[in-house]
Amino acid sequence: MTLTLTRVRRAFREGLRAAHAELGSRPPAPRRPAPDTPLCEAPTHPGPPRPAAPPPPTGAPAPSAPRAFDTGYRPRTLTLRRTTKTLAELVRAPAALTVPGDVVAGALASARTAPVSPGRTALLAAGSVALYWAGMALNDWADRAEDARERPERPIPSGRLSPGAALATATGLTAGALALGALAGGRRVLLRRTLPLAAAVWAYDLGLKRTRLGPLAMAAARGLDVLHGTGTGPARPALGAALTVAAHTLAVTRLSRHEVDGEAGDEPALALAVTAASALAAALPARHPGRKSAGHLRTRSTAPALAAGALALAGRAQWAALRTPDAAHVRAAVGAGIHALVPLQAALVARAGAPRAALGLVAALPPALSLARKVSPT
């Protein structure tokens, strides 16, 4: 028994020695690369080269990169910026810089019979700007079907703004203008000045614009805007300034009817003649009882210079439209005629005996021209 155990132990030890000897003779197994070892290195003994991919056929479109999935999320600041830009395009915001001059011209024209209140004039000017923007929004709402064919890039046809939002914008701005009129002079200003102006704006956009009376209605609205500046004072002293602005507006509105087709005919010549007559009327000296001689000298030199600037600004574009009556030149002439209202109003203000206020109005012209490159005034 003892001998058998001894033999078993000896055999077990010999088996262990043989196993150790066999394991020691084998090559070590390759270790896996460490996590920081690049796995794209070429092997020490590369295999046969792979065949190159065939070139794409001539004229075949290049493979497009995969598009990222659009979740529809937009940052609040980006949405607000786009909405503001759309509304500014809807109401032609930069063109509103031509509106306060009407109110100032009317206020200073009536200053000989009634004192001018800067606060009341500022409120009336703000109301006129609101009504101007309301008219522009209402214009796009009324012309949405026509703009879908001729101006698909406008806010409503392009889908950036709904027709209901445009109508609500016009309504809200009109209500704000009426409130400003009541605040400026109570029921008297509201019923005699602001409400007739608002009625003229809405009547033009909703019906008269498509008739022969359209240009006359727009000219009447602009003349009422000048009378709006008289506030609680009498309107008679400002009738001359109102007729001058209305005549220029009549010519520009008639020309604007050919912005799309470009078939203006004799309209550029008529617009040029009316602009020259309006500039001449604004440059003529007026009587200002009680003014000093120095004020007369400044007025006599400032008003003609500003009137000549208005004629140069609008007349150059109107002459170009007369020579080349296509849509682009007609549209440029209409835009120049709108901007020429600023120096024309300033000439009327200087003619009323306030050359410093006239120069202040002209300061709004460069920003208006600059902003017109971003948002069209027509």
Side-chain angles (χ1 to χ4, degrees):
M1 184 66 180
T2 304
L3 182 60
T4 302
L5 293 175
T6 302
R7 290 179 180 178
V8 173
R9 291 175 182 175
R10 188 180 298 172
F12 181 73
R13 289 175 182 175
E14 290 177 359
L16 289 176
R17 289 174 184 174
H20 281 294
E22 185 179 358
L23 291 175
S25 62
R26 293 181 181 179
R31 295 180 300 173
R32 293 184 179 180
D36 57 349
T37 304
L39 301 178
C40 59
E41 291 182 354
T44 307
H45 302 287
R50 297 181 179 179
T58 305
S64 58
R67 296 182 179 179
F69 179 72
D70 188 5
T71 61
Y73 170 75
R74 298 292 184 273
R76 184 175 299 178
T77 55
L78 179 60
T79 303
L80 180 61
R81 190 182 309 166
R82 289 181 177 177
T83 303
T84 304
K85 183 179 179 181
T86 301
L87 290 176
E89 187 177 350
L90 174 72
V91 300
R92 283 95 164 169
L97 293 174
T98 67
V99 175
D102 290 340
V103 178
V104 175
L108 290 177
S110 63
R112 289 171 289 174
T113 57
V116 177
S117 171
R120 179 183 292 114
T121 303
L123 289 174
L124 294 173
S128 293
V129 169
L131 283 176
Y132 186 90
W133 283 344
M136 291 298 177
L138 190 62
N139 173 81
D140 273 27
W141 179 82
D143 291 349
R144 58 189 183 278
E146 181 179 350
D147 288 343
R149 299 187 303 268
E150 299 178 351
R151 295 183 176 184
E153 74 282 356
R154 293 294 301 165
I156 296 179
S158 63
R160 289 175 289 151
L161 194 72
S162 65
L167 183 59
T169 300
T171 305
L173 287 170
T174 302
L178 295 176
L180 289 172
L183 185 62
R187 183 180 301 178
R188 180 178 181 180
V189 173
L190 174 63
L191 298 180
R192 295 186 179 183
R193 301 288 184 266
T194 310
L195 189 59
L197 177 58
V201 170
W202 280 71
Y204 172 80
D205 284 326
L206 296 183
L208 296 177
K209 177 174 56 176
R210 304 181 186 279
T211 67
R212 295 183 178 179
L213 298 177
L216 287 175
M218 174 58 72
R222 202 81 196 207
L224 289 173
D225 194 31
V226 176
L227 300 181
H228 193 221
T230 60
T232 57
R236 181 176 298 179
L239 287 178
L243 290 175
T244 301
V245 174
H248 178 77
T249 304
L250 175 64
V252 174
T253 306
R254 287 177 60 96
L255 187 60
S256 68
R257 293 191 162 191
H258 306 280
E259 285 183 317
V260 178
D261 54 36
E263 300 176 359
D266 296 333
E267 292 297 334
L270 177 62
L272 182 60
V274 174
T275 299
S278 301
L280 179 62
L284 292 177
R287 295 181 180 181
H288 301 286
R291 300 284 185 179
K292 296 182 180 180
S293 58
H296 279 296
L297 293 177
R298 287 195 299 268
T299 300
R300 290 175 182 175
S301 59
T302 304
L306 293 173
L311 178 59
L313 179 60
R316 182 179 179 181
Q318 291 166 351
W319 176 255
L322 179 62
R323 297 182 59 184
T324 310
D326 56 6
H329 285 84
V330 170
R331 192 176 300 113
V334 173
I338 294 174
H339 292 134
L341 278 169
V342 176
L344 183 64
Q345 296 159 349
L348 292 172
V349 170
R351 182 172 178 264
R356 293 182 180 179
L359 296 178
L361 288 178
V362 174
L365 184 58
L369 294 174
S370 178
L371 292 173
R373 299 186 183 97
K374 300 180 180 180
V375 180
S376 174
T378 65

